[in-house]
Amino acid sequence: EGKLLFNGENTGTITFDKTGAATGADDGSKLTYDTVTGKFTYTRPTADVGGAADNYTFTLTVTDADGDTVQQTGSVVTVFKEPTITGDTGSTSSTVTTDEGNLEQGSGWETDATQPHEDTASGELTVNLDHADGTIRIGNLTIDVDKDGKVVSVNGNPAASLDGKTVPGDHGYLSNITVSEAGTDGSITIKYDYTLTNAVDGDGASGNRPADGEAGRGESMQADSFAVTVTANGQTATGSIMANALDDAPRLDVTPEYTSGEYDTADSSLSGTFTVNFGADGPSENAALKIEGTSVSLTEETSLAVDGGTLTIIPRSDGTYAYTYKHNQQDVTFGKKTFAVVATDGDMDTTQA
């Protein structure tokens, strides 16, 4: 855009001549002049997309009422737009969410917040190179495309394709990456899958805790971040792919095995079993299992003096725990006993039963 100033009668005319173009040829280019602001704008031909910048020479001729003319010749070099990256809601980042609880070692425990998510999630983002040849980089993956968005090389190999290519992260990886051909506006859509492969340490994380259960389950944490850059005509745009994981938490199931209703047996004892699934984060290194505030071994028998008797916990090979409470006095009738069991996982989420 530039400004056109001239002297003479206001009934003069402005003509536009395109070098090398036949008179009357319509290639989509045009020159418009605003008589109020004195500005003129040149629109490049429709076919002028991609490859290299083109140069157009034009001549402006101003003719007054008695035939006097003034000419000005100029050149226009088309300049391509800067490349762009568009992710979620207009940002430069595409974000997906996975769930630790669906990992092989996960608890499998679902809440309203976690139910829609699995260990793999799909996402996409849009880049625009303005129909120019360019390069797309996602993590350690380099994709060269032509002005039509067609992949011409992968990691410098012209014969390679994106089939089977993955991008590793700290807790998972990107796969099934596809690049669409450029649309009429130059936009290219990149689609991908992110797969979570191992748990994220959420110790100390806060916020986004759904109010439907034990602390930590469903809390969103960043699992991986992959840098995305696009380069065309010497200009670069940056963005990212963000992968989040919903935190897993321990799960407790307790099964009392009363033999005399809510009262004790003849030898004044109660027994039952409970199961602890520490989930994707595994058990805490310290005091992973506590009963009535006392640490219990995950591998060896533990006896606790509690509430007038002895509570014995015996780990089983199938991952369950047998418990027996025996009162210190024989033939004592008492109501049901309640003992608080607390399980803590590797990133300090707790569950109580």
Side-chain angles (χ1 to χ4, degrees), residues 29 35 49 66 68 82 127 151 197 245 248 251 271 279 281 287 298 314 318:
S29 65
T35 59
V49 292
D66 61 3
D68 298 322
E82 294 182 2
V127 302
V151 176
T197 56
D248 202 5
R251 184 168 188 173
S271 63
D281 298 300
L298 303 182
I314 303 175
D318 62 358

Side-chain angles (χ1 to χ4, degrees), residues 327-351:
H327 200 277
N328 292 336
Q329 299 180 32
Q330 295 293 318
D331 296 324
V332 174
T333 299
F334 53 84
K336 63 183 179 181
K337 296 291 185 179
T338 301
F339 305 105
V341 181
V342 179
T344 304
D345 70 9
D347 60 6
M348 306 309 291
D349 301 318
T350 61
T351 299

Side-chain angles (χ1 to χ4, degrees), residues 11 45 63 65 79 93 109 138 140 176 180-181 205 219 240 270 334:
T11 58
T63 304
V79 178
S93 177
W109 168 29
I138 305 172
N140 66 353
N176 299 323
S180 74
E181 294 188 7
E219 181 181 3
S240 62
L270 297 172
F334 53 84

Side-chain angles (χ1 to χ4, degrees), residues 25 48 104 198 232 278 305:
D48 182 5
E104 183 178 354
N198 56 79
F278 286 100

Side-chain angles (χ1 to χ4, degrees), residues 37-59:
T37 63
K39 292 182 178 180
F40 67 89
T41 302
Y42 174 73
T43 302
R44 71 189 186 193
T46 304
D48 182 5
V49 292
D54 290 312
N55 186 296
Y56 295 93
T57 301
F58 59 89
T59 301

